[in-house]
C-alpha cells in the first residue's frame, strides 16, 4: 500500500496522486452518441513517516468528475517489527489482489476488471483495525493480513443481480 505514485516529498512526508480519463466514440445500429470524454478519477495521496515505527497514508478520490468523492484510505501503521505491524483507520481489506493494488498508474487500462466491479467490490474501503506482517526466511517470503471491519452490507452479497 505504500508503493503509491508519490510525486514530491519533503523529508519524511510525501504528496502525490494521479488523474485518469477516457474518450469514446460509440455507434450502435447506425445511431451515434458522438464523441464523449470523461474524467474517471482524480486521486490525491498523502504520506508521512512520523517516527521510526509510525506511518500514515491517505487517499482521497474524486470519481466521475465530482459525482463521487470518497476517502478511500486513511490509516496509521505502528510497526512493532516487520513481522508484526498494527494497523487502524479506513483500510482496504485484501479481497483479491486488485482491491489493495488498484491504482491506475500500475495498469495499462482505465476500466477495472469485471470480477472487481461485478463480483468482488473494488475498491472497497472500510473502517477497521488489524495486523499484517512479513517473514523472510532464507529462500522465500511469507506475508499475512488479518483485519476486523464493518464487513459487506446486505446489498453487496444478496442483491437483485
Amino acid at each position: 500500500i505504500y508503493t503509491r505514485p508519490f510525486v514530491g516529498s519533503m523529508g519524511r512526508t510525501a504528496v502525490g496522486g494521479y488523474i485518469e480519463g477516457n474518450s469514446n466514440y460509440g455507434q450502435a445500429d447506425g445511431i451515434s452518441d458522438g464523441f464523449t470524454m470523461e474524467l474517471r478519477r482524480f486521486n490525491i495521496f498523502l504520506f508521512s513517516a512520523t517516527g521510526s515505527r509510525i506511518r500514515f497514508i491517505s487517499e482521497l478520490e474524486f470519481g466521475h468528475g465530482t459525482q463521487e468523492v470518497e476517502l478511500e484510505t486513511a490509516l496509521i501503521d505502528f510497526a512493532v517489527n516487520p513481522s508484526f505491524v498494527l494497523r487502524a483507520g479506513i483500510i482496504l481489506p485484501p479481497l483479491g489482489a486488485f482491491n489493495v493494488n488498484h491504482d491506475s498508474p500500475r495498469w495499462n487500462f482505465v476500466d477495472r476488471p469485471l470480477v472487481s466491479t461485478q463480483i468482488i467490490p473494488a475498491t472497497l474501503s472500510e473502517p477497521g483495525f488489524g495486523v499484517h506482517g512479513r517473514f523472510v526466511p532464507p529462500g522465500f517470503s511469507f506475508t499475512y493480513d488479518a483485519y476486523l471491519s464493518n464487513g459487506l452490507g446486505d446489498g453487496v452479497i444478496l442483491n437483485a443481480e
Side-chain angles (χ1 to χ4, degrees):
I1 196 167
Y2 289 102
T3 56
R4 302 290 184 139
F6 295 116
V7 294
S9 66
M10 297 171 60
R12 303 182 105 178
T13 302
V15 178
Y18 64 89
I19 188 169
E20 68 177 37
N22 69 327
S23 60
N24 292 304
Y25 180 85
Q27 183 173 347
D29 299 327
I31 300 172
S32 171
D33 291 334
F35 180 75
T36 62
M37 294 176 56
E38 179 185 19
L39 175 64
R40 287 280 180 103
R41 290 173 197 92
F42 174 66
N43 290 41
I44 301 169
F45 301 112
L46 297 173
F47 166 81
S48 183
T50 59
S52 62
R53 295 177 181 247
I54 299 173
R55 295 187 295 183
F56 166 80
I57 190 168
S58 67
E59 175 184 359
L60 179 64
E61 179 178 295
F62 298 87
H64 303 283
T66 57
Q67 290 179 7
E68 303 169 9
V69 178
E70 181 180 8
L71 184 61
E72 270 189 10
T73 307
L75 56 89
I76 294 176
D77 278 356
F78 178 77
V80 176
N81 63 51
S83 62
F84 189 77
V85 180
L86 301 170
R87 174 173 284 171
I90 299 173
I91 60 173
L92 293 165
L95 290 172
F98 192 78
N99 196 54
V100 176
N101 188 12
H102 65 270
D103 297 321
S104 296
R106 295 174 181 242
W107 309 100
N108 291 323
F109 51 84
V110 174
D111 290 326
R112 292 183 168 160
L114 288 177
V115 71
S116 296
T117 58
Q118 299 295 317
I119 299 172
I120 299 172
T123 55
L124 174 70
S125 57
E126 291 285 329
F129 66 95
V131 297
H132 68 95
R134 165 181 258 153
F135 297 97
V136 188
F140 69 96
S141 175
F142 173 78
T143 62
Y144 70 94
D145 294 89
Y147 301 108
L148 294 174
S149 70
N150 290 339
L152 299 174
D154 291 340
V156 175
I157 304 271
L158 303 172
N159 60 45
E161 294 179 20

